[in-house]
Each structure stands twice: as structure tokens, then as C-alpha cells.
Amino acid sequence: MLPLLTSFLRHRHRHRHVILLRRQSKPYSSSSNVESNINLPIPLSSPTYFIWSSNTSLGKTLVSAGIAASFLLCSHQPLLRKRFLYLKPVQTGFPSDSDSRFVFSKISAISARQTLSRSILATDRVLKASCPSVVAALPGGEVGDGGGMLDLESSYRECRIPGEEDGEHSELMCETMFAWREAVSPHLAAGRENGMVEDSDLVGILRRRLNCGFSEEKMNAFCVVETAGGIASPGPSGTLQCDLYRPFRLPAILVGDGRLGGISGTISAYESLKLRGYDVVAVVIEDHGLENEVPLGSYLRQSVPVLVLPSIPQDLSDDLMEWFDAARGVFDSLVKTMVSAQSEQIKRLHEMPKKAINVFWWPFTQHSLVSEEDVTVIDSRCGENFAVFKAQNNGVMTQQFDACASWWTQGPDSTLQTELARDMGYAAARYGHVMFPENVYEPALECAELLLEGVGKGWASRTYFSDNGSTAIEIALKMAFRKFLYDHGGLSNSVNDNSAETSTQLMVLALTGSYHGDTLGAMEAQAPSSYTGFLQQPWYTGRGLFLSPPTVFLSNNTWNLSLPEGMHSNKLKDADITFSSRNEVFNTSRDKSNLAEIYSSYISFELARYPESKGSIGALIMEPVIQGAGGMHLVDPLFQRVLVNVCRSKSIPIIFDEVFTGFWRLGTETATKLLSCVPDIACYGKLMTGGIIPLSVTLATESVFESFIGDSKLTALLHGHSYSAHALGCTAATKAIRWFKDPQTNKNLNSEGSSLKEMWDKELVYKLSSHPAVQRVVALGTIFALELRAEGSNAGYASIYARSLLKKLREEDNLYMRPLGNVLYLMCGPCTSTQICTQVLFKLYKRLDEFSKNQ
């Protein structure tokens, strides 16, 4: 057992006494409640700010103390009961250097010099400290040599400054969360003192302190969280503090530099915070007679106030009381600015749902079914999580896992998000926007080469950039139809006559349940559905032959094959339609099965009986493996492979729509790896840029490209966009493509780097497949989907059957989901940890039990 901390009772006089309570120390271990801490909401009822500085020598703690004094001792509100919470997550040089003790002692001293209307109870505590720092704090004490962090949470200093009025006191709560003895960067101190702290532990405990610090609604409260060192100084694990604290995105006070050279350092610090999405409310500098505030104010365009503090005395024996008196007006102005900014933020957040209802026309949304309470107010995003504002208890900010991957585009973790922001900022500053035809610039060229070496490796030779997935499909159709006409002699009469009257009527071969986008041509290339009906697209005719595909799903712990009418045969055995594992479904040994022959015969028969009067089949277009918007169906890869082979034998160009499925969405960089066959043309988008900005590309073989070569511009591909191959998108794509396939940045890659590890817990997946409320399950790559058992109006895309279930998941489990009717899905990014995937899957499983019991 570790010895008890010594108890002290210091001298007592009119204003204060100090006590260090006697409690037991214990080695610190990683909290088992990290997830619950992360999910704790941050109250917005009181101002809460980060205090940053542009370098390590500036007086952040003086600013923190000045803010505390101004708030607690405000002459305009002397009778209000107040609480000021000062948090120092990371402290080195302890115990000789303690910023929380400094704030504690200075506010105690300042308060003691005044006549208070209400007494103040001041406390200073250290939650966890390294063994060497505890030894230094308790000379002669024995704490063992086991290393780690010791829990000191129940030990504290206390000081009571009496006031004239009886009744409840105001409070100053000063806390150091983690402390180390050596006065070096936290990552060095933590390593040298065997006191490592994981980011998740630090962030979780800070969130817990912020959550409980404002539990008493009757108190007028204020909180500052003071960082250690400069903005980009490392935390205990080595993560830069500006990145470490980004999940909170608290508004910032930047302590700048009033010295020679300080303008540059202050601006650099400001830009580092803005790059990461922080709001800087004010800049504070010390007066060194250089008027740095003038150029700083000009740079900030007067949108951020720059406040100037009096010069700080250099005499170390100075107790700074006169300085605090001189600076009081500046701190009063700073506190007023902070309170006003917080009030305006809360007002905006509260008003946003009503304004949104009145001005937005949301896509895929029936507005009559959406109330103000249904609107999710998203303040920011960090990695996989939204920061969502909720109006409860005067406003809180909570983290919600984005299980829609923001509509299937998102892949970045918080680190990649910052990297993308920085690289795109560089591209914007270097290029702005430049037109693409007949031009070349590094981002576009580098992106094109990466695409051809990656998703297009082995078959594609040309990249055609556009702005979104639907337009990439339009381009692909034009390419395929030209290639078909070129191969089948259909261009001879059209070279000199480009009018529509001379054109051949071309159709597509596609699958029912497909979805290729919302532009008119893309809609014509998909089978009739909710998206193409008369209410949506009166022009729709459906220009193609649409085959019903066989699908594979997991039900009752078994992978099953569902065959449409026309494919059933007595030749089929159980082994042809049930599988012991998902891997069996993708095994190319099935190419020699009876089922492959049935598929080939079915496809050839349907093509043969397609009426010539309707036109010629000029292209095959399909979503490889997974049909997304059609209901998250896993199409039998054997069927699609046979379909490709049949079309290739008939010289029908093949288009893969990989806008959704590409770039690791299905667990491989491209679905061609799963299908074991390649297209002539393929479309990519969404995850290609990490989901940070729209960009798409249509890849093609050299033979497709050559079908557009001629002497006249009229034979070229006359399709383009003002923002084709824009530098920002190409820069983002280059970064994301490399990030996802690098094992140093994507820990989910298998040892060969060719696929992702299994993202979804197999045991939970199989449990869900056996749940009585579940019809079918699909789990592949970053996708988990299930279809609820439902009939009549409760089934299908228009169903609102799962509304109550989704409401629970959003409001109580912080899991943001958007269904496809009675089909629910979870989607993560290629870099999302499997632990997070398991957590969100378990939340769904738990709520599904409740949902089924209430039906």
C-alpha cells in the first residue's frame, strides 16, 4: 500500500486558511469509461474558453488570472453567486511550477485586498501526477518506484475569503489534470517519468470536468482551459495540442506577442488555430512600446479585437498586485467580449432550426414530416464525429458519430481532416482556380497518375475529370456509346453530319435496383424506381434493358443467395445458394459451377430477345458488388462477372459505377479486386477526395480514348465543367488516395496492404442476422446494413417504420443515422478504428431489442 499524503494546517488569519486533506495515492490506470466520458455533453450555459499563446514565454496564466479576477470581483454584479473554473490539463515543472496554484494564490491575494460582498471559496487540486513530481511535493514520502500516474484527486488546497453578506459563497476552482516534474515538453516529461497518458484519457477526463463544472444552474459560471506551451506544442502522447483539443472546438483567446518579431509569431499562431476550425474571439498582447496591435488589427481586419495589457514588471519579487490593478480595465473589456461572443453563439444556435425550416429546400426530404425539433444543428465535425448542438439545459454540445459518413463521402480521421485543410489551403493560395483544357498543373497531373496507378491499374490509361458522380456517369455513357458505334461501324455516316436525326438509338444494359445519379442521362440509364417515377422525372422513359440481379445476404448466421424469376433450375444444389462464409461468395472457383452456366444462359437469352425496334444495347452499366441507394444489396459477384464476360464477347463497352463503391468503401481500393474483372470505363468520386470537396473522374482504356480521335473538333468529347480538375479537389484527392493506402496512416490495412481488416465485429454481425426484427444483413468493408422485417407501407423507400428507433439512436446514443426506408445502415471510414465500429454496432443491437419489443 502507498503511504498516506501528509496533512498540513497552515496559519489562519482574517482572510484565509489553507488545508491539504489527507488521502491515499494510487497508480493511475487508463479509464474504463473513456467512451462514456467522450459522449458527455459540454454545457454551453456559461462561457467556456481555451487560452492559447503564440509561444511558451508569454503570460497565459496571467491572462487566466486576470479573467478570473474580473469575473469573480466584478463591481457591477457584487451579490451574484459565481463559479470560476480554471483547468490546466497538462503541467510540467511540477510542483515548483504550478499554473493552477498561481491562479489560486493571485486571486486569493487580490480578493484579500478588497471588501467582498460575498465570500469566495478557492480550491486548488491536482488530479494525477507522476511519481517523481509527487516525491518532490512530499519530501521524505515514499510512493514506490512502479511509475505511472498517481491519483491525487481527493487532495486539495483550500482558501476562504470572507465577505460581508451571509449565505452561499462564490467559488474559484483551480485544477491541474496531469502533472510531471521535469520542466520540458509534456511528451518528453511523460516518457522520462514513465507517466504516459493516452489522448483519449486526457480528452475524456477534460470532458468530464467541463461537464460537471457547471452542474449547479443557479450559479453564474465561467471556465477557461489553459493549454501548455505554444499552440503547436506536443501533448503527453506527442499529439500537437491544437489537434489534441480539437474535438472540443471551444472558442479561443490567443495570447499574442507584443515584442519585436511578435507580429509574425502571433499571426502564425492565429492561422494555425483557424486552419483547424477554432474561433478566435480576441487577441491579447503585452505592451512593449512597439504598437504591435496596429498591424495585428489590420491583418485581422478589425474583426477580432486586439487588447493591450500594461507592461509586466521584470522584478521577480513583485507580487503583481499593482499590475493587476492597472490591467483591470483591459480584463473587464476582455471578459465582456467573451461573454458577448458566447451569448451571440448560443442565440445563433437556438435560431438555426427555425431559420433552416424557412429557407432550405433539403434534398430527399419531405418537409411536411420535419419539425424544428427534428433538425440537427451541426456546429462542426472532427474526424468521424459531428459536434451537435442540443437546446436542452440552456444548450449543450455533444458528439455524434456520423454513421452516414456524411452521405457516403467521408473517410478522414481527425488527423487527415487537418492535413486536407492545410494542403487545400496551399492549393487555393497557389492556384486559386485555373482552367483545364490544354493545360497542365501539378495537382491535376499527380492525381491523374495516382488514379491510373491505383484504381485504374492494369486497364485504364486516361482520366477525364468532372465535378460529381452523376456527371461522371454522363461522361461515361458518352464514352461507351462512341466506343460501341466505333467498333460496330456506326460512325461512318455521322462524321460529317452531327445532327440528332442521323444518330443510332442506343440503350444500356443495367440492373434493377441500380442508381447512377440525378442528372437526366444518368436517370435514363437506371431501372424504374422511386427516384425515376413521374412525380420525380416526367421525361423518364428508361432507355435500357434492366435485368433483375441475384443478391446475397446474411440471415440466421448463413449467407444466402436470392435468385429472381427466370434463374431457378433443378440443377442447383444447396451449395450453389448457401455459403458458410462471405469469402466463398467471392471465390472465383464458382465460375465453373452450374450457376455460372445458368447466369450466362439467362443473360444471353434476355439480350437475344430484346427488340431491335427499341435500339441497340450500346453499354453495360452497373454498380459493382453493392447497390447503394437501391437498398444496400450485395449483388452476386459471380453474376456480375458473367455479365461482364457476355458483354465483352459482344463488344459491348462496360461501365463500372464506382462513385459509391470505390476507394476502400467495400474494403478494397476498387471493387474490381472483389469481382476479379475490369471494365472499359469506370467512374469515381465521393471518397476519392476524402469527402472534403466534390470531384469526380471517369477512367477509360486507350481504345475508348482513341474512338474520339479525328481531324475535326466535332469528333472530340464535347463535355466539360468550369471547375474540371480544379486544383483544390485534385490536391485533396492526392492526399486522400495516398493516406488510405499507406499502412503508416491507415492502421486498418491488412499485412499485404490490399484490403482492410474486418471492420464489423463478426459475432455481433451474426447476432443481428438472427434477430427476429431483421430480414437480412450485409456487412462488407466500411458498410453494415440491415433490412427490418416489414410489410405494406412499412416496407420500401418511403417507409418511416424505423423513425422511433432512429430517434432513440440519435438522441440517447449519439449515433447519427439516416435510413433508406426500412433499410438501416452504418458506414465508417477506411481509417475508423474497429473499436468504434463495434461500439456503434452494439448500440444498434441494443436499441433494436427495445424496438422489436415495442412493435
Side-chain angles (χ1 to χ4, degrees):
M1 293 292 290
L2 295 171
L4 297 178
L5 291 178
T6 312
S7 177
F8 299 98
L9 177 62
R10 294 189 176 177
H11 68 278
R12 179 176 182 175
H13 55 70
R14 177 174 178 270
H15 291 297
R16 69 171 188 164
H17 61 274
V18 179
I19 301 174
L20 180 61
L21 292 181
R22 191 171 52 167
R23 288 294 185 270
Q24 200 168 20
S25 301
K26 56 185 178 182
Y28 171 66
S29 61
S30 180
S31 170
S32 61
N33 295 317
V34 169
E35 185 200 354
S36 60
N37 284 338
I38 289 173
N39 287 330
L40 286 173
I42 301 300
L44 299 180
S45 54
S46 302
T48 305
Y49 281 81
F50 275 130
I51 309 295
W52 302 90
S53 72
S54 56
N55 65 51
T56 59
S57 63
L58 300 179
K60 290 192 302 293
T61 310
L62 279 175
V63 172
S64 297
I67 294 170
S70 176
F71 174 74
L72 287 170
L73 307 177
C74 176
S75 60
H76 301 298
Q77 300 172 316
L79 297 179
L80 280 178
R81 187 180 178 218
K82 302 174 184 178
R83 171 182 289 170
F84 190 92
L85 178 60
Y86 170 87
L87 296 174
K88 183 76 174 182
V90 174
Q91 176 74 64
T92 58
F94 182 83
S96 59
D97 186 9
S98 172
D99 293 334
S100 68
R101 187 173 67 237
F102 178 89
V103 174
F104 168 84
S105 61
K106 291 305 174 187
I107 300 304
S108 299
I110 294 170
S111 302
R113 299 170 71 235
Q114 300 185 20
T115 300
L116 304 180
S117 297
R118 184 185 291 275
S119 62
I120 296 176
L121 177 65
T123 57
D124 175 34
R125 74 176 74 229
V126 180
L127 303 186
K128 303 180 189 297
S130 67
C131 289
S133 65
V134 174
V135 169
L138 302 172
E142 295 182 5
V143 296
D145 57 0
M149 303 296 285
L150 302 182
D151 189 348
L152 309 178
E153 190 164 347
S154 298
S155 302
Y156 60 91
R157 298 173 184 267
E158 184 179 286
C159 170
R160 189 180 188 92
I161 305 98
E164 294 181 336
E165 300 288 335
D166 293 331
E168 294 179 300
H169 52 259
S170 291
E171 295 178 4
L172 170 67
M173 300 168 62
C174 299
E175 294 186 0
T176 299
M177 288 170 44
F178 293 93
W180 295 265
R181 182 178 183 181
E182 194 171 356
V184 293
S185 182
H187 72 293
L188 294 176
R192 293 173 181 178
E193 298 177 28
N194 194 22
M196 298 304 297
V197 175
E198 296 294 330
D199 289 350
S200 57
D201 293 318
L202 192 153
V203 169
I205 293 176
L206 177 55
R207 185 173 292 276
R208 174 163 59 88
R209 304 310 296 173
L210 290 171
N211 176 266
C212 68
F214 305 122
S215 58
E216 296 184 43
E217 297 180 8
K218 295 180 180 179
M219 297 186 73
N220 189 15
F222 205 110
C223 175
V224 298
V225 181
E226 185 182 309
T227 59
I231 281 168
S233 295
S237 72
T239 301
L240 303 187
Q241 289 180 77
C242 49
D243 296 324
L244 174 62
Y245 299 127
R246 175 55 182 80
F248 298 96
R249 209 189 78 85
L250 297 176
I253 300 299
L254 174 59
V255 181
D257 193 345
R259 300 171 300 181
L260 185 65
I263 296 171
S264 175
T266 303
I267 290 174
S268 296
Y270 175 84
E271 293 295 341
S272 292
L273 290 173
K274 295 294 284 187
L275 176 71
R276 289 164 171 80
Y278 289 100
D279 295 326
V280 179
V281 171
V283 176
V284 182
I285 63 173
E286 179 191 354
D287 185 6
H288 284 270
L290 300 175
E291 298 183 346
N292 283 8
E293 67 274 12
V294 176
L296 285 173
S298 177
Y299 178 82
L300 299 171
R301 301 187 182 278
Q302 313 306 325
S303 60
V304 178
V306 181
L307 305 178
V308 182
L309 291 168
S311 181
I312 301 170
Q314 298 302 304
D315 184 358
L316 297 180
S317 65
D318 193 309
D319 64 3
L320 298 176
M321 291 300 102
E322 291 183 2
W323 183 85
F324 277 111
D325 288 341
R328 181 63 179 269
V330 178
F331 285 123
D332 287 348
S333 179
L334 177 58
V335 169
K336 183 178 179 181
T337 298
M338 296 166 76
V339 171
S340 175
Q342 185 259 354
S343 177
E344 290 173 6
Q345 178 202 26
I346 297 302
K347 184 174 182 290
R348 286 196 306 272
L349 291 169
H350 275 287
E351 291 175 346
M352 285 173 70
K354 183 176 181 179
K355 289 183 175 181
I357 289 283
N358 291 332
V359 302
F360 287 162
W361 189 342
W362 285 299
F364 298 94
T365 299
Q366 177 49 261
H367 278 240
S368 67
L369 301 177
V370 180
S371 67
E372 285 185 32
E373 291 72 26
D374 296 322
V375 178
T376 300
V377 179
I378 300 174
D379 177 72
S380 64
R381 181 190 186 95
C382 185
E384 296 99 343
N385 294 324
F386 294 147
V388 172
F389 172 75
K390 296 182 179 180
Q392 66 196 47
N393 301 324
N394 297 318
V396 297
M397 199 70 73
T398 188
Q399 298 285 307
Q400 280 191 0
F401 180 82
D402 175 15
C404 298
S406 275
W407 246 1
W408 315 352
T409 67
Q410 287 291 307
D413 53 18
S414 58
T415 306
L416 177 54
Q417 183 177 340
T418 300
E419 295 262 353
L420 288 169
R422 181 172 59 242
D423 286 6
M424 289 172 64
Y426 167 80
R430 179 177 173 182
Y431 295 101
H433 176 61
V434 295
M435 69 176 293
F436 185 51
E438 300 179 48
N439 295 327
V440 62
Y441 37 94
E442 282 184 305
L445 182 59
E446 193 172 7
C447 182
E449 290 175 337
L450 276 175
L451 289 164
L452 296 177
E453 294 167 4
V455 292
K457 188 174 183 178
W459 66 271
S461 66
R462 298 286 171 167
T463 56
Y464 201 103
F465 288 105
S466 55
D467 57 354
N468 64 70
S470 187
T471 52
I473 294 294
E474 300 274 355
I475 292 163
L477 290 170
K478 290 183 178 182
M479 289 179 177
F481 290 153
R482 171 67 68 85
K483 174 62 173 168
F484 178 84
L485 293 171
Y486 184 88
D487 289 344
H488 293 266
L491 293 177
S492 56
N493 297 325
S494 303
V495 173
N496 299 317
D497 185 357
N498 197 34
S499 64
E501 288 77 9
T502 62
S503 64
T504 304
Q505 184 76 352
L506 295 178
M507 299 291 182
V508 299
L509 176 61
L511 306 179
T512 59
S514 61
Y515 177 85
H516 301 295
D518 298 323
T519 51
L520 296 181
M523 293 180 78
E524 287 294 302
Q526 58 200 47
S529 69
S530 301
Y531 309 108
T532 63
F534 181 80
L535 291 174
Q536 300 300 327
Q537 220 291 57
W539 283 0
Y540 174 79
T541 58
R543 298 171 183 263
L545 169 61
F546 303 108
L547 306 180
S548 296
T551 57
V552 180
F553 59 91
L554 182 65
S555 179
N556 294 318
N557 300 326
T558 302
W559 288 92
N560 301 278
L561 177 66
S562 175
L563 294 171
E565 291 184 16
M567 294 189 194
H568 294 278
S569 171
N570 294 329
K571 295 181 180 180
L572 293 177
K573 303 175 182 178
D574 287 345
D576 293 316
I577 58 174
T578 59
F579 310 93
S580 60
S581 72
R582 191 188 60 207
N583 289 341
E584 278 189 35
V585 176
F586 291 98
N587 197 317
T588 54
S589 64
R590 297 177 64 211
D591 291 356
K592 299 178 181 179
S593 66
N594 290 333
L595 189 58
E597 294 181 12
I598 292 170
Y599 286 163
S600 181
S601 298
Y602 169 79
I603 294 165
S604 298
F605 174 77
E606 292 296 331
L607 285 171
R609 74 171 188 164
Y610 188 72
E612 290 185 8
S613 59
K614 288 188 175 182
S616 301
I617 300 295
L620 164 66
I621 182 169
M622 65 181 185
E623 299 163 274
V625 184
I626 294 285
Q627 292 182 326
M632 298 293 173
H633 289 285
L634 196 166
V635 179
D636 186 1
L638 173 61
F639 175 79
Q640 291 193 318
R641 195 159 51 246
V642 172
L643 188 56
V644 167
N645 292 336
V646 171
C647 288
R648 187 146 283 149
S649 70
K650 299 179 181 296
S651 296
I652 297 173
I654 296 144
I655 302 169
F656 281 3
D657 177 357
E658 285 220 66
V659 173
F660 169 54
T661 61
F663 295 103
W664 307 98
R665 182 58 73 204
L666 305 186
T668 55
E669 188 174 24
T670 167
T672 61
K673 302 298 182 183
L674 296 173
L675 282 185
S676 300
C677 61
V678 296
D680 302 298
I681 303 162
C683 304
Y684 297 91
K686 297 191 187 301
L687 263 174
M688 184 170 73
T689 64
I692 202 77
I693 192 171
L695 181 74
S696 64
V697 68
T698 305
L699 300 186
T701 62
E702 191 67 16
S703 63
V704 171
F705 170 73
E706 289 174 350
S707 67
F708 286 84
I709 300 300
D711 297 329
S712 170
K713 189 172 183 177
L714 295 179
T715 61
L717 181 47
L718 305 181
H719 192 122
H721 303 273
S722 300
Y723 289 95
S724 292
H726 56 89
L728 273 71
C730 290
T731 298
T734 298
K735 171 68 74 173
I737 290 169
R738 286 180 169 150
W739 191 277
F740 293 148
K741 66 197 308 180
D742 184 350
Q744 295 299 313
T745 51
N746 186 356
K747 304 302 182 182
N748 291 329
L749 290 172
N750 65 13
S751 56
E752 295 81 21
S754 58
S755 62
L756 300 179
K757 301 172 185 175
E758 198 64 44
M759 303 296 288
W760 308 101
D761 182 80
K762 185 175 180 180
E763 183 179 350
L764 268 177
V765 168
Y766 274 73
K767 278 186 177 181
L768 281 158
S769 80
S770 303
H771 197 284
V774 174
Q775 179 74 28
R776 64 178 177 90
V777 161
V778 170
L780 182 64
T782 67
I783 301 168
F784 172 86
L786 64 82
E787 181 178 345
L788 295 173
R789 293 188 186 276
E791 298 178 353
S793 62
N794 286 333
Y797 180 73
S799 168
I800 57 173
Y801 180 58
R803 192 177 184 120
S804 62
L805 171 60
L806 296 174
K807 188 177 178 69
K808 285 270 190 182
L809 287 164
R810 282 193 193 184
E811 294 182 356
E812 299 184 26
D813 294 318
N814 294 311
L815 184 55
Y816 184 92
M817 296 175 66
R818 183 182 173 93
L820 293 162
N822 62 315
V823 174
L824 310 183
Y825 65 88
L826 300 171
M827 203 174 292
C828 65
C831 301
T832 305
S833 76
T834 54
Q835 180 184 9
I836 290 175
C837 292
T838 300
Q839 289 168 0
V840 298
L841 195 60
F842 181 75
K843 288 177 180 179
L844 176 59
Y845 178 75
K846 183 180 67 173
R847 291 296 176 190
L848 197 59
D849 266 346
E850 296 176 10
F851 174 76
S852 60
K853 290 174 183 176
N854 294 329
Q855 298 304 305

